[in-house]
C-alpha cells in the first residue's frame, strides 16, 4: 500500500506489533534485497495467491526482501505478489491514526467479518505501489482484524484502526487477486489509471510486456 499525506482495548489474543519497530524493520531490511514492484496488468496481481505451506529459510528471506522492497518504494504495506511471488504473505510498517507505528508480517491472512455495529466506514484516499502515482477515495471499515500465521507457522491475529485498518484490508485483498482500483466505480478506476499513466514512479517497477 502506498503511503499518503483505537477504540479497541489491548487483548492477549492479538500480537504486539508496536514494540521495537525500528530495530525489527531495520534487521529485516538489512538482510533483504530490494526488488522492483509489479504493476497493474501483471498476471500475478490478478489471481489468488498460493497458501504458504513451507515455513522455512526461503520464506524468511522472502519476508526480508519484502521489507527491503517496501522501504525502497516508501510504502506502508507490501504483498508478496507485488514483487512477483505467488504466495500469501504480506508485510507492513504503518502508522495508525493515533500515530502509533505497527511493524509485522502475516502469512495466509484471512480478514475477519465484522459485526454490523463495527462497520463504520472511512472514505479516505487510498493508493497502491502497484498503481503508482494514483489515488482515489475508497470506503473501508475503520477497524480490521486479520488472522493468519507468522513466518514460523504459529497462529496470529492482528488488529488495526484507521489508516492501519485500511492497510490490513488492502494487503489481504492483494493476496486474493484484488487491487484497490477493483473496488472503485468504473469512472474512478479509469481516473486512477489515467493518473498512473501520467505519473512517473519514484521506485523501480516491472514493465508489463
Amino acid at each position: 500500500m502506498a503511503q499518503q499525506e483505537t477504540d479497541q482495548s489491548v487483548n492477549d489474543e492479538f500480537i504486539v506489533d508496536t514494540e521495537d519497530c525500528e530495530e525489527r524493520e531495520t534487521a529485516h531490511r538489512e538482510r533483504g534485497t530490494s526488488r522492483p514492484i509489479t504493476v497493474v496488468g501483471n498476471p500475478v496481481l490478478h489471481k489468488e495467491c498460493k497458501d504458504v505451506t513451507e515455513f522455512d529459510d526461503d520464506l524468511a528471506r522472502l519476508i526480508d526482501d519484502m521489507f527491503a522492497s517496501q522501504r525502497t518504494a516508501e510504502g506502508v504495506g507490501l504483498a508478496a505478489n507485488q514483487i512477483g511471488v505467488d504466495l500469501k504473505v504480506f508485510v507492513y510498517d504503518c502508522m495508525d491514526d493515533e500515530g502509533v507505528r505497527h511493524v509485522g508480517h502475516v502469512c495466509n491472512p484471512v480478514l475477519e467479518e465484522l459485526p454490523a455495529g463495527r462497520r463504520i466506514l472511512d472514505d479516505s484516499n487510498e493508493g497502491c505501489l502497484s498503481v503508482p502515482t494514483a489515488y482515489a477515495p475508497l470506503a473501508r471499515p475503520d477497524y480490521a482484524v486479520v488472522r493468519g500465521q507468522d513466518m514460523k507457522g504459529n497462529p496470529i491475529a492482528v488488529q488495526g484502526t484507521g489508516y492501519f485498518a485500511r492497510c490490513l484490508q488492502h494487503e489481504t485483498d492483494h493476496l486474493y487477486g484484488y487491487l484497490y482500483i477493483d473496488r472503485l466505480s468504473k469512472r474512478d478506476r479509469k481516473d486512477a489509471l489515467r493518473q498512473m499513466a501520467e505519473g512517473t514512479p519514484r521506485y523501480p517497477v516491472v514493465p508489463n510486456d
Side-chain angles (χ1 to χ4, degrees):
M1 180 167 156
Q3 186 168 199
Q4 68 179 50
E5 316 243 285
T6 85
D7 61 359
Q8 179 80 5
S9 61
V10 175
N11 188 312
D12 290 341
E13 175 184 14
F14 299 104
I15 64 167
V16 177
D17 57 7
T18 56
E19 296 178 352
D20 303 319
C21 289
E22 184 66 23
E23 293 84 352
R24 291 187 292 111
E25 189 276 338
T26 298
H28 281 299
R29 174 167 44 86
E30 290 184 345
R31 288 192 301 261
T33 300
S34 181
R35 307 191 201 179
I37 304 295
T38 56
V39 296
V40 57
N42 190 303
V44 74
L45 294 175
H46 301 283
K47 64 184 182 68
E48 181 175 344
C49 293
K50 297 175 182 175
D51 290 343
V52 175
T53 57
E54 300 292 331
F55 298 87
D56 54 13
D57 290 345
D58 287 342
L59 176 63
R61 281 191 290 271
L62 170 62
I63 289 171
D64 290 340
D65 287 357
M66 290 171 68
F67 272 104
S69 304
Q70 176 177 252
R71 174 57 70 93
T72 298
E74 300 177 11
V76 297
L78 186 74
N81 53 357
Q82 291 185 273
I83 57 169
V85 178
D86 183 12
L87 281 178
K88 284 181 182 166
V89 54
F90 71 77
V91 302
Y92 58 87
D93 182 357
C94 185
M95 296 284 192
D96 61 27
D97 285 359
E98 297 177 351
V100 177
R101 184 180 180 184
H102 300 259
V103 171
H105 67 277
V106 184
C107 303
N108 302 324
V110 176
L111 188 65
E112 189 171 277
E113 188 71 25
L114 295 179
R118 290 308 306 264
R119 290 184 59 82
I120 301 171
L121 296 181
D122 170 17
D123 61 356
S124 297
N125 264 10
E126 190 159 323
C128 179
L129 299 178
S130 291
V131 193
T133 74
Y135 295 89
L138 177 62
R140 290 192 190 266
D142 69 352
Y143 174 71
V145 173
V146 169
R147 300 185 185 278
Q149 295 163 283
D150 66 15
M151 67 171 67
K152 296 181 179 179
N154 301 311
I156 57 173
V158 183
Q159 65 174 340
T161 59
Y163 188 51
F164 182 43
R166 181 176 294 275
C167 176
L168 293 174
Q169 294 168 82
H170 180 109
E171 302 309 332
T172 301
D173 269 358
H174 267 303
L175 300 177
Y176 290 86
Y178 295 100
L179 297 168
Y180 87 98
I181 59 173
D182 296 328
R183 297 189 177 277
L184 300 176
S185 68
K186 288 184 178 180
R187 179 178 179 179
D188 288 347
R189 176 188 169 94
K190 183 177 180 180
D191 182 64
L193 293 174
R194 177 193 58 76
Q195 292 178 55
M196 175 180 165
E198 293 177 354
T200 301
R202 63 182 182 270
Y203 44 83
V205 299
V206 178
N208 294 326
D209 297 326

